[in-house]
Amino acid sequence: MNQQNQTILSGITPSGRLHLGNYFGAMRQHLEMQHQGDAFYFIANYHSLTSLNDGDMIRQNSLNIALDYLALGLDPDKCTFFLQSDVPQVTELTWILGSLCPVSLMEKGVAYKDKVASGLSPNIGLFTYPILQAADILIYNSDLVPVGADQKQNIEICRDLAGKLNHTYGKELLKLPEPHIVEEVAVVPGIDGRKMSKSYNNAIGIFDEGKALKKRVMSIQTDSAALEDPKDPDSCNVFALIKLFADTRKKEEIATAYQQGGYGYGHAKNELFELIGETFAEAREYRKKMEKETDYIMDVLKEGGRKARERAEKVMEPIRSSAGILTTYRKELV
Ligand code: ADP
Ligand code: TRP
C-alpha cells in the first residue's frame, strides 16, 4: 500500500515527565511519520488510571505532554492529535473485545507482571490494559503503530483480538495492524545503564536544562578506567546516548577518541550535555512561550477529538450492529 494512504497511530500515557527514551524510542518516529501518512496521535489518559489516581496530576501531565509534542514539532494541521477520553467508542470497543478475550491471553502479558513486580497495585485495569490499547488501535482501522520495543507484545495481542472479533462475527470488521519499531534505538539506557524509565528514577528529561541537566548527565554510571586509558565506546552508557544525538562524523570522532585513550568520561559527558542542549534548544523556547496557552492547547485537542470520533464511529457502527447492540442516540453524539 502507498504509505501516504496508511493510517498511523500511537499513544503516550500521561503518567509522568517525558524522557530521552520516550523521545528516541517513540516520539521521534511519531513526528517523522506525521508527514508520511494519515497520522493519529493521542494522550492515553485512561491508561494512566491503571497506575495513578491523582486527578490533578493526570490533568497536568496530559496538558504537559500535549505541550511537549507541539514544542517538538507535532503539526496539528498534518495529523490528528487528541485525548483518548474524547473518543467514547474506544471504551465501548474495549468491552466488546474484552468479552471475546480469553483470560489466558492476558495471563501471558509480561508488562502486567513487570509492573506488579515493580510495586504497582494488581488492579483489573492494569491486567486488561492491552485490551484498551487494542481498542485504541483498532477503532481507527490503523495500519502502522510506531512504538518502542517493549510494546511489541501488546501489538501482537491487539492483532489476536482483531482476528477473534472478525472470526466471531464472520466479517472483516477490523484491520490487523503492524508494529513499527526502530531497532537501533529499541532500548535507550538510563543513567544507571538499565532501560531509561520514569519508574526507575534513571531518566533524563527532554526539557531538562542548565544545572539540573548537567547534574543528571554527570551522574551517568561508567567504569573506573583512568583518563589516559583506551576505552570501549560500545560498552559505555555515555556513548550509547551520544550515538543517538551525534551525526556520523561526530560519532566516529568520539569513538576514535575513546579507543585512543586520553579522552575521559568527563569529556564525553560534556559533549553529551552540549548535544542535548543544542538538539532541544528550539523546542525549549517554544515550550516556554506556549506554557500558559492552555486555551490554544485545548482547542487543538478538541479539533483532533472531533476528527478522531468521526473516524471511530465509522468503525464502531458495523461492530455494534454485528454484535446486536442497539442504541438510540449515537448519531447525534459524533
Ligand atoms: P516509561 O517506561 O518511562 O514508563 P512508557 O511506558 O510511558 O515509558 O513509554 C512510552 C513510549 O516510549 C513507548 O512506546 C515505549 O516503548 C517508549 N520508551 C520508553 N522508554 C524507552 C526506552 N528506554 N527506550 C526506548 N523506548 C522507550
Ligand atoms: N502502552 C503504551 C505505552 O506504554 C501507550 C499506549 C496506549 C499506546 N495505547 C496505545 C501505544 C496504542 C500505541 C498504540 O507507551
Side-chain angles (χ1 to χ4, degrees):
M1 193 196 304
N2 178 345
Q3 263 220 330
Q4 286 299 329
N5 300 329
Q6 293 207 322
T7 298
I8 297 156
L9 172 125
S10 198
I12 196 132
T13 315
S15 50
R17 256 171 8 116
L18 296 178
H19 53 70
L20 298 181
N22 298 137
Y23 180 74
F24 288 104
M27 293 173 88
R28 195 170 59 166
Q29 283 69 260
H30 301 168
L31 296 168
E32 278 168 16
M33 290 173 87
Q34 65 180 331
H35 305 290
Q36 294 164 13
D38 190 10
F40 285 70
Y41 300 131
F42 68 94
I43 297 166
N45 46 5
Y46 281 132
H47 276 108
S48 67
L49 291 175
T50 63
S51 59
L52 200 61
N53 303 118
D54 180 335
D56 285 338
M57 190 167 273
I58 292 184
R59 220 178 341 263
Q60 199 50 53
N61 286 345
S62 301
L63 286 170
N64 278 338
I65 287 183
L67 185 57
D68 291 348
Y69 263 90
L70 292 168
L72 289 163
L74 180 134
D75 180 350
D77 293 328
K78 283 246 148 57
C79 65
T80 305
F81 186 43
F82 58 103
L83 294 158
Q84 184 183 37
S85 49
D86 271 345
V87 186
Q89 288 85 351
V90 166
T91 42
E92 215 184 331
L93 180 59
T94 300
W95 187 258
I96 296 183
L97 292 173
S99 304
L100 297 171
C101 177
V103 172
S104 59
L105 187 60
M106 291 298 101
E107 281 169 346
K108 287 188 205 135
V110 289
Y112 173 76
K113 286 175 205 142
D114 287 353
K115 286 179 181 175
V116 172
S118 76
L120 288 186
S121 106
N123 61 64
I124 290 292
L126 198 62
F127 187 60
T128 58
Y129 182 114
I131 307 181
L132 179 57
Q133 182 160 351
D136 283 330
I137 299 169
L138 299 170
I139 200 75
Y140 310 106
N141 261 338
S142 310
D143 296 294
L144 265 189
V145 188
V147 280
D150 57 355
Q151 297 293 309
K152 208 170 177 168
Q153 192 187 29
N154 284 350
I155 313 295
E156 276 159 19
I157 293 175
C158 168
R159 290 171 57 91
D160 278 0
L161 290 174
K164 253 193 182 341
L165 185 134
N166 289 345
H167 179 74
T168 303
Y169 296 114
K171 276 188 229 151
E172 289 299 303
L173 292 162
L174 293 171
K175 202 183 241 185
L176 271 59
E178 298 287 341
H180 174 85
I181 295 168
V182 178
E183 294 300 338
E184 309 87 77
V185 292
V187 182
V188 175
I191 59 174
D192 59 358
R194 292 188 294 167
K195 176 196 156 205
M196 188 177 287
S197 171
K198 303 179 204 73
S199 20
Y200 297 156
N201 191 24
N202 67 353
I204 299 177
I206 299 174
F207 292 97
D208 284 354
E209 61 179 323
K211 272 196 193 137
L213 174 62
K214 187 124 202 175
K215 200 166 156 213
R216 238 26 210 161
V217 171
M218 291 303 158
S219 54
I220 298 175
Q221 287 175 17
T222 56
D223 61 29
S224 53
L227 175 71
E228 59 282 7
D229 293 342
K231 302 173 183 68
D232 174 19
D234 295 326
S235 60
C236 173
N237 293 328
V238 186
F239 190 73
L241 291 170
I242 287 178
K243 261 199 326 207
L244 298 168
F245 288 94
D247 58 30
T248 314
R249 222 194 71 223
K250 184 135 206 144
K251 258 187 289 199
E252 280 168 11
E253 214 176 274
I254 299 175
T256 310
Y258 263 77
Q259 284 151 351
Q260 282 174 344
Y263 182 84
Y265 291 123
H267 293 127
K269 288 177 179 177
N270 274 323
E271 194 78 59
L272 176 62
F273 173 72
E274 297 294 329
L275 282 166
I276 299 175
E278 282 162 26
T279 306
F280 298 119
E282 208 180 304
R284 250 199 315 269
E285 284 311 305
Y286 177 99
R287 204 180 186 292
K288 279 184 193 145
K289 204 173 76 205
M290 297 301 286
E291 219 161 34
K292 302 256 152 35
E293 304 291 330
T294 310
D295 288 350
Y296 168 73
I297 296 170
M298 288 305 281
D299 280 349
V300 165
L301 296 171
K302 183 175 177 186
E303 176 55 17
R306 194 191 58 71
K307 288 199 267 174
R309 274 195 305 279
E310 210 171 273
R311 170 79 77 99
E313 183 55 23
K314 288 205 180 94
V315 176
M316 196 60 218
E317 207 274 323
I319 296 177
R320 257 186 237 118
S321 161
S322 297
I325 299 301
L326 292 171
T327 62
T328 57
Y329 69 103
R330 282 286 163 192
K331 287 254 166 347
E332 295 98 81
L333 258 194
V334 175

